[in-house]
Amino acid sequence: MVRAAVLPSVGAPLEITEISLPEPGPGQVRVRLAAAGVCHSDLSLSDGTMRLPVPAVLGHEGAGTVLAVGEGVTHVAPGDGVVLNWAPSCGTCHACSIGEVWLCADALTGAGRVHALAADGTELHPGLNVGAFAQETVVAANCVLPVPDGVPLTDAALLGCAVLTGYGAVHHSARVREGESVVVFGVGGVGLATLQSARIAGAGSIIAVDVSPEKEELARGAGATEYVVASDTTAREIRGLTAKRGADVAIECVGRASTIRAAWDSTRRGGRTTVVGIGGKDQQVTFHALELFHWGRTLSGCVFGNSDPAADLPVLAEHIRAGRLDLSALVTEQIALDGIPAAFDNMLAGKGGRALVVF
């Protein structure tokens, strides 16, 4: 039996309770968690914005130590440090065959399996495949990647989602070039990773936008050269900071219609707007045909930073070892499992960066 944060049903409060995990079967790995980040996607699962089977053990951004492996697992062994990969690619679907592994058609099929049992025998599913809000988890072998050398195990948890997403949004989706101006909407965990990644890319002006004035110091520490408190005049302020043109690149990390529209309006003619935030179906964004023609902007979605974790983790590790990427700077509080509900409340209120569950 291990302690875990369980979502009993959509919209219900999380329950911190004991669950029974099976031993790893063929092609599976059992991991003792060192840390797990509290991501907005977990909140999106709990409120029904993202639909996956429940009841479920939430948590998808984590790292830990391998306790045991099942038959056929050879790339990791007991005692190895691993990063959990919540979106493993199958390697055979159309998206994988053309190199777009972040769009794998089968990436989330594991979320439908029976992961564990509650104390009363109720079958539990693994939220986003890995069930990281628990002392231990059992996952498919392709859901673990070795922790790169030189990366502390607790910090490595952030590589599982926030950092891959933020780095990929800059380098793979928006493809920020040296000297370009970048505006980032939302200074949470992903937004902070995006700001650091823009700095790594050599962006010129890096503008952070958030509803909270209190996040300015956090944003500037991550690389922002300017800070704007979100309002009805945000796009006008961005143009004022970019020679009246607008930013070369706008990256939206919130997932609301109003911020997506503001990001679009803040982008220069011919620039790129990348949407990272996950919004609900009720968040309708409208454009008229003439503006699409006139502005010549590119609007694109971004799934998991358009990243390939196996290829990108070594690159990120090099940035970490060189001091260009500071994972600890994304974390504004360390909590226990019992602190996850309060961390959800803080996200809803727009407070802080990444909350990290440390086991």
Side-chain angles (χ1 to χ4, degrees):
M1 302 292 286
V2 300
R3 294 184 75 232
V6 175
L7 177 70
S9 60
V10 172
L14 283 183
E15 297 177 356
I16 311 301
T17 185
E18 289 196 332
I19 64 171
S20 176
L21 279 173
E23 290 303 311
Q28 291 186 321
V29 178
R30 187 169 184 137
V31 178
R32 177 189 294 120
L33 271 296
V38 183
C39 178
H40 205 281
S41 296
D42 299 308
L43 185 58
S44 295
L45 285 174
S46 72
D47 66 16
T49 298
M50 297 174 65
R51 293 285 185 177
L52 287 175
V54 291
V57 179
L58 294 189
H60 65 282
E61 180 185 88
T65 303
V66 174
L67 293 177
V69 301
E71 181 183 350
V73 178
T74 58
H75 73 295
V76 294
D80 288 350
V82 292
V83 177
L84 297 180
N85 176 18
W86 64 269
S89 55
C90 69
T92 59
C93 72
H94 176 69
C96 288
S97 72
I98 61 174
E100 296 178 355
V101 297
W102 55 92
L103 299 178
C104 176
D106 298 316
L108 292 179
T109 55
R113 68 181 173 87
V114 176
H115 171 68
L117 298 177
D120 63 1
T122 300
E123 294 181 341
L124 305 173
H125 301 284
L128 288 175
N129 280 330
V130 297
F133 287 165
Q135 293 170 315
E136 297 177 14
T137 188
V138 175
V139 299
N142 61 355
C143 285
V144 297
L145 293 165
V147 171
D149 292 340
V151 180
L153 193 56
T154 300
D155 289 349
L158 301 168
L159 295 174
C161 185
V163 178
L164 277 169
T165 300
Y167 182 86
V170 169
H171 291 267
H172 302 322
S173 182
R175 300 188 181 188
V176 174
R177 298 183 288 266
E178 187 173 356
E180 287 191 312
S181 56
V182 178
V183 56
V184 177
F185 285 76
V187 185
V190 172
L192 289 168
T194 303
L195 289 168
Q196 287 203 42
S197 299
R199 180 177 60 190
I200 289 170
S205 176
I206 304 174
I207 307 164
V209 179
D210 198 275
V211 295
S212 172
E214 288 76 23
K215 289 189 179 182
E216 180 171 0
E217 183 178 352
L218 197 61
R220 289 188 181 275
T225 58
E226 307 288 346
Y227 190 82
V228 173
V229 178
S231 70
D232 293 339
T233 63
T234 294
R236 188 185 309 159
E237 291 181 64
I238 301 303
R239 288 193 294 273
L241 293 169
T242 54
K244 300 184 179 179
R245 290 188 299 268
D248 294 306
V249 173
I251 301 177
E252 198 272 358
C253 302
V254 181
R256 282 201 288 267
S258 59
T259 49
I260 294 171
R261 181 68 219 199
W264 169 265
D265 290 337
S266 299
T267 306
R268 69 165 173 84
R269 195 176 188 190
R272 288 105 64 203
T273 306
T274 294
V275 179
V276 176
I278 300 173
K281 293 180 179 179
D282 61 324
Q283 296 294 311
Q284 297 291 315
V285 189
T286 60
F287 308 91
H288 60 72
L290 182 59
E291 69 175 304
L292 294 174
F293 161 77
H294 172 76
W295 289 106
R297 298 164 175 149
T298 299
L299 176 67
S300 62
C302 178
V303 178
F304 196 16
N306 294 7
S307 293
D308 178 352
D312 287 335
L313 283 183
V315 176
L316 291 171
E318 182 55 36
H319 287 308
I320 293 166
R321 289 191 290 265
R324 293 184 292 268
L325 181 60
D326 182 2
L327 300 185
S328 63
L330 308 183
V331 179
T332 50
E333 61 173 342
Q334 293 190 357
I335 60 174
L337 275 173
D338 294 343
I340 296 174
F344 278 7
D345 290 340
N346 285 338
M347 277 195 290
L348 285 170
K351 297 179 180 178
R354 200 47 130 219
L356 189 67
V357 181
V358 178
F359 295 93

